[in-house]
């Protein structure tokens, strides 16, 4: 699945330039033209990276950045700042942006920053084992265990469980799950997630263990202890 990049920028000339270039490079690109929509898309689509302009209508880029950093999301944020606006850059980094780029910029420069940030992010989504309650997952071997018992998972079951293990205690909506695991928008018709959740539960609870993967009615699912 290609990396998904969210561009929060109100100037059409700029987001158009970024969107076209990144799509050409194989990225999946989402655009939001104001801060509020940017925040909504951040939490609904869980992008792999955010390109965030500081000057936005409504909630400005600095506030968008702060609000994202107040959550558990580890998404890298690349700020776009106006030429010579040094205070903006400093404020952006203080708000938790990972890097900034001064407008106007060459596309190659943007691409280089994105690649650097993706590499830097890699250790966060690392191969270190994930542990939740008595569940244990090893991303390097894609092995799963519960209370020391080996659990054989199919590729999709593994992906689904890893997604929950990387977002413990968070409610993941069906759209988020569909988008992250199947890589495209969910039309609302399919029950494929329900089916996979049922498979996963059967395997995770095969020895009568307590349920960790819970249905959150009308919303989605969450990995949590009862
Ligand atoms: Ca702007």
């Amino acid at each position: 699945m290609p990396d998904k990049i969210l561009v929060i920028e109100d100037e059409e000339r700029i987001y158009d330039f970024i969107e076209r270039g990144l799509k050409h490079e194989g990225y999946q690109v989402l655009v939001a033209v104001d801060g509020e929509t940017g925040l909504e898309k951040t939490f609904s689509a869980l992008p792999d990276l955010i390109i965030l302009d500081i000057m936005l209508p409504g909630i400005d880029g600095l506030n968008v950045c702060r609000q994202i950093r107040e959550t558990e999301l580890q998404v890298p944020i690349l700020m776009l700042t106006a030429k010579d606006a040094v205070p903006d850059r400093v404020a952006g980094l203080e708000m938790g942006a990972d890097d900034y780029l001064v407008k106007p910029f060459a596309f190659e420069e943007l691409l280089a920053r994105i690649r650097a940030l993706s590499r830097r992010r890699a250790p966060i989504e690392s191969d270190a084992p994930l542990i939740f309650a008595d569940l244990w997952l090893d991303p390097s071997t894609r092995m799963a265990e519960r209370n020391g018992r080996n659990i054989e998972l199919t590729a999709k079951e593994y992906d689904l469980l890893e997604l929950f293990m990387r977002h413990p205690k968070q409610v993941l909506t069906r759209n988020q799950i569909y988008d992250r695991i199947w890589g495209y928008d969910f039309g609302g018709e399919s029950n494929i997630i329900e089916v996979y959740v049922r498979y996963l539960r059967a395997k995770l609870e095969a020895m009568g263990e307590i349920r960790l993967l819970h249905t959150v009615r009308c919303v989605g699912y969450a990995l949590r202890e009862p």
Side-chain angles (χ1 to χ4, degrees):
M1 202 196 314
D3 271 359
K4 190 190 323 177
I5 298 183
L6 172 61
V7 181
I8 309 176
E9 162 68 272
D10 57 317
E11 269 175 85
E12 188 175 355
R13 187 175 53 85
I14 296 177
Y15 69 68
D16 200 51
F17 162 72
I18 296 174
E19 185 180 22
R20 267 193 273 172
L22 290 179
K23 280 188 171 164
H24 184 72
E25 292 294 322
Y27 290 97
Q28 194 186 336
V29 183
L30 300 171
V31 174
V33 296
D34 60 69
E36 203 170 354
T37 317
L39 282 168
E40 271 170 33
K41 290 195 177 178
T42 298
F43 300 118
S44 64
L46 301 176
D48 298 295
L49 187 138
I50 296 174
I51 298 171
L52 175 62
D53 188 37
I54 287 194
M55 297 287 284
L56 290 170
I59 308 169
D60 72 13
L62 293 174
N63 274 305
V64 170
C65 188
R66 182 179 50 78
Q67 290 190 39
I68 294 170
R69 285 297 175 247
E70 281 170 0
T71 71
E72 303 281 297
L73 281 189
Q74 303 276 2
V75 58
I77 298 175
L78 174 61
M79 282 268 193
L80 301 181
T81 72
K83 196 169 180 244
D84 298 331
V86 175
D88 277 0
R89 285 176 230 168
V90 174
L93 296 174
E94 278 176 357
M95 289 295 173
D98 297 278
D99 200 357
Y100 62 84
L101 194 54
V102 179
K103 292 186 199 175
F105 51 83
F107 183 74
E108 287 307 316
E109 179 66 28
L110 176 70
L111 204 54
R113 300 294 180 95
I114 289 172
R115 287 181 176 146
L117 283 175
S118 305
R119 275 197 298 276
R120 212 191 295 171
R121 181 183 66 115
I124 297 167
E125 286 229 334
S126 75
D127 281 352
L130 301 166
I131 296 164
F132 181 81
D134 55 1
L135 270 177
W136 178 90
L137 212 63
D138 183 355
S140 66
T141 59
R142 294 173 69 88
M143 299 253 293
E145 286 183 8
R146 181 154 195 195
N147 198 17
R149 168 173 69 86
N150 182 43
I151 300 170
E152 296 282 345
L153 298 175
T154 64
K156 280 281 182 259
E157 289 166 358
Y158 175 86
D159 289 344
L160 190 58
L161 185 57
E162 183 178 332
L163 179 66
F164 282 108
M165 297 283 280
R166 290 198 187 275
H167 301 275
K169 298 180 194 167
Q170 286 180 33
V171 178
L172 298 178
T173 66
R174 289 182 177 79
N175 278 325
Q176 286 172 334
I177 297 167
Y178 208 77
D179 194 66
R180 295 299 291 202
I181 304 297
W182 283 273
Y184 42 96
D185 286 334
F186 178 45
E189 304 298 323
S190 170
N191 69 339
I192 193 162
I193 294 172
E194 286 72 8
V195 171
Y196 273 94
V197 165
R198 211 181 307 139
Y199 292 159
L200 256 185
R201 281 177 178 156
K203 292 183 178 182
L204 296 178
E205 299 164 15
M207 304 301 282
E209 292 100 332
I210 54 159
R211 177 151 298 178
L212 294 176
L213 192 49
H214 295 273
T215 303
V216 181
R217 271 190 84 180
C218 304
V219 184
Y221 299 91
L223 185 70
R224 59 189 175 207
E225 293 183 88

